[in-house]
Amino acid sequence: MRSGEYLEGMLSDYMGGKAKLKGQKGSSSRLVTILTCLQFAFAVYATFLLYFMSPSVDLRGKPDFSWATRIAHQWKQLMVTPHVVSHYQEANALIQSEIIAPPISPSQVCEHEKIDFVQKKSSDGVMIKFKRELYQQVLDFQRKSVGTETLSELMRMKSRWDLHGPSIPKVTVILNHFKRKTLCAQIDSLLHQTLPFHHVWVLSFGSPNEQSLKRIVDSYNNSRISFISSSYDFKYYGRFQMALQTEADLVYIVDDDMIPGKKMLQILSHVAGTEKYKNSVLGSIGRILPFRQKDFTFPSYRKFRSKEAGLYLPDPAYDITLDRVVQVDFLSSSWFLSAELVKTLFIETPFTFMTGEDLHLSYQLQKYRNAGSFVLPVDPNDKETWGDSEHRLAYVSETTVIFKDIVQVRDDQWWKALSTGYITQWAAMYPQKIDALFYAHSIDEVKALAPLLEKFRTTVGKKAYIVVSGGSFCPCEHAAAALKWPKAVCRERRFKIFDLGVGSLSSLSNSEVPVLQGVYASMKGLIKIHNPSVVITVSDIDTNVKKALKMATESSANNATTTLVLLPRASVTKALWMADLRPTTLPNWNKMRLTISIITQNRATSLDRLLKSISNAYLLGDEVAITFNMDSKVDEATLKLVNGFAWPHGPKVLRRRIIQGGLIRAVSESWYPSTDDEFGLLLEDDIEVSPYFYMWIKYALLAYHYDPQVSLPELSSISLYTPRLVEVVKERPKWNATDYFKRIHPNTPYLHQLPCSWGAVFLPKQWREFYVYMNTRFTEDAKANPVQIPKSRTNGWQASWKKFLIDMMYLRGYVSLYPNFPNQASFSTNHMEPGAHISAKDNVVKHDKTDFEVPLMKQDFRTLLPNGKLPSASKLPSLNLFNQALSLKGLKAAGAKLGQDVLECNAAQIVMVNHQTGLPSHCATF
């Protein structure tokens, strides 16, 4: 009978009144007894319902109620799995049996790892020497650069997390287990930590020992220790994915081969709370990746008998113990970090999910968080401070020993990391210095940059590498093919081409963030490693990539001497001379600012020709300002031309005089420098320029003005024009520089004391000086001018600003740089059209157009120079005002001898000026 039917029968008998009075009394007693038992049973049932349903009641943590826990588990099983009890007495018996059954203790289910071997010790004297020397080099470097504290020094540092307050951190410990029998040893150690843990999560992913691991966790009967399992093996990354779920402050992820000492949580938390190490991942075992070999390649990190193969720290085989904190390239076996930093591991898709989570974590933390990886020191006399109190377990369990071909996979992984900006200890200890780092985001950009890259790589003494976006944007193999390089360059461990893999990260995303973030983070690291003088790319590159490159080159964390160069594709082949500049000069590429000042009035046709020639020039993508200086009598056609002229390369400024100023004022007041990096190109409207004029100006300024190893303070201007006459001599004899310098080199540039007025760039410091000089010496009556240069026809010039400039240059020994090419081909020419001088009524000198009009340079002039490049400043020949060879010192001596400057100096001195104001300050011996 079911219990309900049994009760119903008894009640029926009682109510029927068929029994005798004595029998009725017995029935009444039995009924009371039955009701009491049922009441007790329901009370017990309700109690265990509350036990499982209430989140605020946790009896499992109280040892005195362990019997209740077991009974509750059984009741839960009864509730979940349908079970029929034939009689209420059977249920009561079940309860009694559960109360009597003894609890399961850890000692009944725990298994312990047998370590029946001794620690391996190397007997290889050569390798012991290699390893210890390398470790000492690393330690010496880090002691000077970042500081290496002992354990006691670390514990004395001020920390946010301290065992004694003000705040104790919450630490979630994650134990990952598969087959090893170390779980009990780990839990025992964690339960006795000097800093209590917040939670312990024991993970079992695809383990054949899942049930035994679960029994062990259950045996501890601790609500802070949880068991999490899955039939699917999430391998090495699963534990980090679980770590994302923690609400703790810190996470301690421990392999099953690590049994931490009882002080580890306290030590790790304290160090993680210091200002210096708060943005770090800490551990007990680490690796330093290989160093470059003599053949410029990197060996495998598992290569034996090689001092470049890196370090395993600590390494008992070579008696290397750590008494100081050491920065490593990645940690093994345990990782302690803030819960926030764990997210960084998943910014990029790992190289593989089969292995390498240790390297990937350190790589991503450094790349995106500037976070380092550190192995903490230990007290050798106190095993409670050790993170691996039984190091033999960790030493023999590396995946490189267990899995076939895993070494090759990990080698490929760390090389990929180094190629995308991972600053290893080798890179930090031995910062490289290269000339240029090219970046191409597409195959077309690779092809556009190829000539300049090849020029850098074939120039003696130059180093240049190329970075490609990779993935679907620009695969390395395709880039190598475009450069006519073997595809093997994408696999060999040698610096040449770097594949960032950005296309793999963002090809399926419509957001610009992955591109911006990926390019910036990688290029920032590569710039830090290789310290290029310039990063070169095409000017029309993707906007987000351009932003990323700009941020990377300007980052305060990087070397400030790296400059981003954006070249128009059409200009790349015209700028091959860039490879001839010194590495110390290249960072100044973007410093110079050119202002083109055009002096015009009423020659609209001539002006139109000049403007077209300027518009067709190769400006290298630089910003160039243009200013029109118009006198008061400017005609309508000129105004219309000037107003309608489009100038996309920089600001356009129009200036018009109210009162006619004449040629002296029109030229001398047309430009004044605003900084020491602004240069003025003065052009009258009957000048025409070569497409290469800007190339010549920039090349010359970088080689002779911005090169920190060049001292040429006498240089005051750079001429675009090559003269055919000696114009300061009365007879004005013809002169050919090519013939004159044929013994040196027929096409050598040269220094000349004569300034050029038919296309020249003036340097800011000397132009300020000229302003002050002219203001001091200008007189309406030319004969009143005190400067009289012996045998110079310039003494009689009356309406020329150039006369005052000649006087100043002669007195102070200044020179101009002149081009010198076959047939006097130049970067500007004078068409000798009627104006203020030519055909003027008071000009008695007859001008033959063939003596002034020279051919314009229409080809790449670099190949015509001596040895294909500008000669060093010390090899530039110099001429005096009369085209006679004279040293720079001789030029100064001639000016000092004349003694007609604004300050009275002796014959061994010249006037020195304040270059900020141009005002003369004192006399100085030259």
Side-chain angles (χ1 to χ4, degrees):
M1 291 177 62
R2 289 173 297 178
S3 59
E5 294 172 345
Y6 180 75
L7 178 62
E8 184 180 0
M10 286 196 304
L11 288 174
S12 177
D13 289 343
Y14 176 77
M15 296 301 294
K18 295 179 181 179
K20 296 180 180 179
L21 181 61
K22 188 176 180 179
Q24 287 179 341
K25 288 181 179 180
S27 297
S28 176
S29 298
R30 287 195 299 272
L31 178 61
V32 171
T33 302
I34 291 169
L35 290 174
T36 301
C37 290
L38 285 174
Q39 186 179 13
F40 173 74
F42 282 118
V44 173
Y45 178 73
T47 298
F48 289 104
L49 278 181
L50 287 174
Y51 175 82
F52 267 96
M53 298 299 291
S54 174
S56 61
V57 177
D58 187 0
L59 299 179
R60 289 172 294 176
K62 301 180 183 299
D64 293 341
F65 295 94
S66 59
W67 59 271
T69 300
R70 291 190 299 278
I71 297 173
H73 277 297
Q74 185 61 44
W75 273 95
K76 181 181 179 182
Q77 185 66 28
L78 290 172
M79 286 185 287
V80 174
T81 305
H83 183 68
V84 178
V85 180
S86 62
H87 197 277
Y88 73 94
Q89 292 174 331
E90 292 180 25
N92 188 49
L94 179 63
I95 293 172
Q96 293 298 324
S97 66
E98 285 291 338
I99 293 174
I100 297 171
I104 300 174
S105 67
S107 61
Q108 293 176 281
V109 294
C110 277
E111 297 178 292
H112 296 279
E113 194 82 11
K114 293 181 180 179
I115 309 175
D116 53 0
F117 55 88
V118 296
Q119 176 64 59
K120 292 182 179 180
K121 294 286 184 178
S122 175
S123 59
D124 188 333
V126 174
M127 281 308 301
I128 292 174
K129 181 175 182 292
F130 281 167
K131 294 291 185 181
R132 290 182 180 175
E133 285 180 351
L134 183 57
Y135 172 61
Q136 193 59 48
Q137 291 172 17
V138 171
L139 206 60
D140 291 343
F141 168 76
Q142 293 187 9
R143 185 181 287 114
K144 296 175 183 177
S145 57
V146 295
T148 53
E149 297 87 4
T150 62
L151 181 59
S152 59
E153 289 171 342
L154 287 171
M155 297 307 290
R156 286 197 298 269
M157 294 171 67
K158 184 178 179 181
S159 174
R160 175 188 176 189
W161 306 120
D162 200 309
L163 183 61
H164 305 292
S167 57
I168 297 176
K170 294 180 179 179
V171 181
T172 292
V173 182
I174 298 178
L175 306 176
N176 195 60
H177 274 262
F178 193 73
K179 287 186 176 181
R180 195 176 289 280
K181 301 173 183 180
T182 54
L183 179 56
C184 290
Q186 288 183 323
I187 293 178
D188 289 341
S189 172
L190 292 171
L191 285 170
H192 293 88
Q193 289 289 311
T194 54
L195 176 73
F197 59 81
H198 182 60
H199 280 119
V200 170
W201 295 347
V202 179
L203 309 183
S204 172
F205 294 147
S207 171
N209 297 341
E210 178 183 339
Q211 292 304 316
S212 62
L213 293 171
K214 183 179 186 304
R215 282 196 298 271
I216 291 172
V217 173
D218 290 344
S219 73
Y220 280 91
N221 191 31
N222 191 316
S223 61
R224 294 182 299 146
I225 304 176
S226 303
F227 182 74
I228 303 168
S229 65
S230 168
S231 59
Y232 181 80
D233 187 359
F234 290 97
K235 296 191 181 295
Y236 304 101
Y237 284 86
R239 49 191 165 175
F240 292 96
Q241 291 169 320
M242 288 301 303
L244 295 174
Q245 303 294 322
T246 185
E247 297 177 355
D249 304 299
L250 301 163
V251 181
Y252 188 29
I253 301 172
V254 186
D255 271 358
D256 56 7
D257 55 19
M258 300 288 285
I259 303 173
K262 296 176 183 179
K263 295 180 181 178
M264 275 311 296
L265 286 187
Q266 180 184 351
I267 293 171
L268 289 165
S269 298
H270 179 89
V271 175
T274 63
E275 186 64 28
K276 182 175 180 180
Y277 295 102
K278 67 180 181 181
N279 188 44
S280 304
V281 56
L282 310 174
S284 303
I285 301 174
R287 271 199 178 273
I288 290 179
L289 289 167
F291 285 24
R292 194 162 68 177
Q293 302 177 121
K294 292 181 180 179
D295 65 351
F296 298 102
T297 62
F298 289 84
S300 167
Y301 81 109
R302 292 289 294 178
K303 182 178 180 180
F304 298 103
R305 296 191 61 80
S306 171
K307 66 179 179 181
E308 296 91 5
L311 288 170
Y312 176 83
L313 298 174
D315 198 335
Y318 302 103
D319 288 328
I320 297 177
T321 57
L322 302 188
D323 60 352
R324 292 181 176 273
V325 62
V326 178
Q327 185 168 6
V328 293
D329 293 324
F330 66 91
L331 297 167
S332 298
S333 300
S334 67
W335 302 265
F336 189 90
L337 67 166
S338 71
E340 174 65 24
L341 288 179
V342 177
K343 302 174 185 177
T344 315
L345 178 66
F346 302 100
I347 292 179
E348 293 182 13
T349 302
F351 184 79
T352 174
F353 283 101
M354 297 299 294
T355 183
E357 82 294 350
D358 43 12
L359 173 60
H360 190 66
L361 175 64
S362 293
Y363 163 53
Q364 295 287 277
L365 284 173
Q366 185 198 91
K367 185 174 181 178
Y368 293 104
R369 298 292 188 98
N370 293 322
S373 302
F374 296 89
V375 176
L376 295 188
V378 300
D379 181 347
N381 300 315
D382 184 2
K383 274 202 169 186
E384 292 186 356
T385 66
W386 297 13
D388 55 335
S389 54
E390 186 45 77
H391 193 82
R392 285 177 292 174
L393 292 172
Y395 198 74
V396 299
S397 64
E398 290 187 279
T399 54
T400 52
V401 177
I402 299 172
F403 295 103
K404 183 182 179 181
D405 298 328
I406 207 72
V407 172
Q408 183 60 49
V409 174
R410 291 177 67 89
D411 275 340
D412 291 342
Q413 183 185 14
W414 77 255
W415 174 250
K416 176 70 175 177
L418 183 62
S419 301
T420 52
Y422 186 37
I423 305 170
T424 64
Q425 295 311 299
W426 169 83
M429 292 172 66
Y430 300 99
Q432 305 298 287
K433 180 59 187 173
I434 66 173
D435 297 271
L437 193 61
F438 289 77
Y439 182 86
H441 204 66
S442 67
I443 294 298
D444 287 341
E445 291 169 16
V446 173
K447 295 176 181 177
L449 294 168
L452 187 55
L453 172 63
E454 186 63 19
K455 171 61 178 172
F456 266 99
R457 292 186 62 84
T458 56
T459 300
V460 177
K462 298 294 181 182
K463 285 185 180 180
Y465 310 134
I466 185 169
V467 184
V468 296
S469 56
S472 60
F473 295 152
C474 183
C476 181
E477 291 77 9
H478 295 179
L483 293 168
K484 298 180 180 178
W485 293 352
K487 292 183 179 180
V489 300
C490 296
R491 297 185 298 274
E492 61 183 0
R493 291 194 289 271
R494 181 192 300 272
F495 293 145
K496 192 170 185 179
I497 184 168
F498 305 128
D499 182 343
L500 301 188
V502 176
S504 301
L505 293 174
S506 56
S507 59
L508 300 178
S509 173
N510 291 326
S511 172
E512 68 276 6
V513 173
V515 173
L516 186 67
Q517 179 177 253
V519 174
Y520 166 69
S522 291
M523 287 299 293
K524 181 183 67 171
L526 288 173
I527 290 171
K528 186 71 173 178
I529 294 170
H530 299 285
N531 294 288
S533 297
V534 286
V535 172
I536 302 173
T537 190
V538 293
S539 58
D540 60 342
I541 199 168
D542 177 84
T543 304
N544 294 308
V545 176
K546 189 183 296 185
K547 288 179 184 176
L549 295 175
K550 185 175 175 62
M551 288 192 300
T553 53
E554 294 177 352
S555 173
S556 59
N558 296 320
N559 193 327
T561 60
T562 298
T563 296
L564 177 62
V565 175
L566 302 169
L567 289 175
R569 301 189 189 209
S571 296
V572 171
T573 56
K574 308 298 187 299
L576 301 183
W577 48 266
M578 183 190 295
D580 297 323
L581 297 170
R582 287 194 180 94
T584 51
T585 305
L586 285 170
N588 296 309
W589 181 271
N590 294 329
K591 277 192 174 182
M592 64 165 283
R593 291 288 182 269
L594 183 69
T595 296
I596 302 175
S597 291
I598 297 176
I599 298 93
T600 187
Q601 181 169 251
N602 54 16
R603 295 189 291 199
T605 302
S606 300
L607 178 62
D608 183 55
R609 178 183 58 213
L610 172 60
L611 295 179
K612 287 178 179 177
S613 68
I614 294 174
S615 298
N616 292 330
Y618 299 106
L619 300 182
L620 298 173
D622 290 358
E623 181 181 283
V624 177
I626 191 165
T627 301
F628 294 91
N629 297 277
M630 300 171 285
D631 224 329
S632 63
K633 295 180 181 179
V634 59
D635 59 17
E636 181 180 1
T638 300
L639 284 171
K640 286 183 177 180
L641 177 60
V642 168
N643 285 322
F645 177 66
W647 183 246
H649 307 289
K652 182 181 84 169
V653 178
L654 307 185
R655 298 172 60 191
R656 181 179 179 183
R657 285 183 171 273
I658 296 176
I659 301 174
Q660 191 77 3
L663 193 59
I664 290 181
R665 291 184 175 85
V667 175
S668 60
E669 296 177 8
S670 64
W671 170 75
Y672 193 84
S674 59
T675 70
D676 285 344
D677 294 308
E678 183 184 347
F679 302 85
L681 172 59
L682 277 52
L683 299 172
E684 294 185 44
D685 52 17
D686 63 342
I687 303 295
E688 185 180 4
V689 297
S690 157
Y692 292 89
F693 86 90
Y694 188 77
M695 297 276 191
W696 164 252
I697 294 170
K698 186 149 189 166
Y699 190 8
L701 283 174
L702 287 167
Y704 301 131
H705 179 72
Y706 279 112
D707 188 337
Q709 298 180 48
V710 171
S711 177
L712 192 57
E714 298 85 1
L715 184 65
S716 66
S717 61
I718 297 172
S719 175
L720 307 185
Y721 178 83
T722 306
R724 287 181 168 176
L725 298 176
V726 184
E727 69 176 293
V728 299
V729 177
K730 184 176 181 181
E731 295 78 10
R732 293 191 304 167
K734 292 185 178 183
W735 189 77
N736 188 311
T738 303
D739 290 340
Y740 188 87
F741 293 112
K742 62 184 177 182
R743 290 185 179 180
I744 302 174
H745 189 284
N747 300 134
T748 182
Y750 61 95
L751 302 173
H752 198 335
Q753 202 168 23
L754 178 73
C756 179
S757 58
W758 294 329
V761 174
F762 295 93
L763 276 64
K765 293 180 180 179
Q766 286 77 9
W767 190 257
R768 294 191 195 103
E769 186 177 344
F770 167 60
Y771 252 59
V772 173
Y773 179 86
M774 186 173 179
N775 182 61
T776 305
R777 289 294 174 83
F778 179 76
T779 58
E780 293 293 340
D781 181 7
K783 294 180 181 180
N785 192 307
V787 180
Q788 298 294 309
I789 301 174
K791 300 180 181 180
S792 174
R793 56 186 294 270
T794 61
N795 295 328
W797 292 358
Q798 298 185 22
S800 173
W801 64 275
K802 188 175 175 180
K803 177 214 170 10
F804 296 98
L805 184 55
I806 290 172
D807 289 349
M808 186 192 81
M809 292 178 66
Y810 186 87
L811 293 170
R812 298 173 186 174
Y814 291 156
V815 292
S816 294
L817 177 70
Y818 278 82
N820 172 28
F821 296 106
N823 199 27
Q824 281 127 335
S826 302
F827 301 102
S828 69
T829 188
N830 183 358
H831 289 286
M832 298 299 293
E833 292 166 345
H837 281 309
I838 307 301
S839 301
K841 293 180 180 179
D842 56 349
N843 188 357
V844 297
V845 178
K846 302 300 181 182
H847 294 88
D848 185 346
K849 193 172 184 179
T850 59
D851 290 337
F852 298 92
E853 195 170 30
V854 295
L856 290 173
M857 179 64 68
K858 297 292 186 181
Q859 69 179 88
D860 185 355
F861 62 89
R862 179 183 58 88
T863 57
L864 301 172
L865 294 169
N867 299 317
K869 61 182 180 181
L870 284 176
S872 63
S874 61
K875 293 183 178 180
L876 290 173
S878 56
L879 305 176
N880 69 4
L881 194 61
F882 305 99
N883 289 47
Q884 298 167 336
L886 194 62
S887 67
L888 295 178
K889 186 175 182 179
L891 297 178
K892 290 187 178 72
K897 182 179 179 181
L898 193 60
Q900 296 176 3
D901 212 328
V902 293
L903 294 181
E904 186 175 345
C905 302
N906 62 41
Q909 296 177 321
I910 57 173
V911 173
M912 304 300 292
V913 302
N914 181 325
H915 284 298
Q916 293 297 317
T917 62
L919 294 169
S921 58
H922 64 282
C923 297
T925 303
F926 54 87

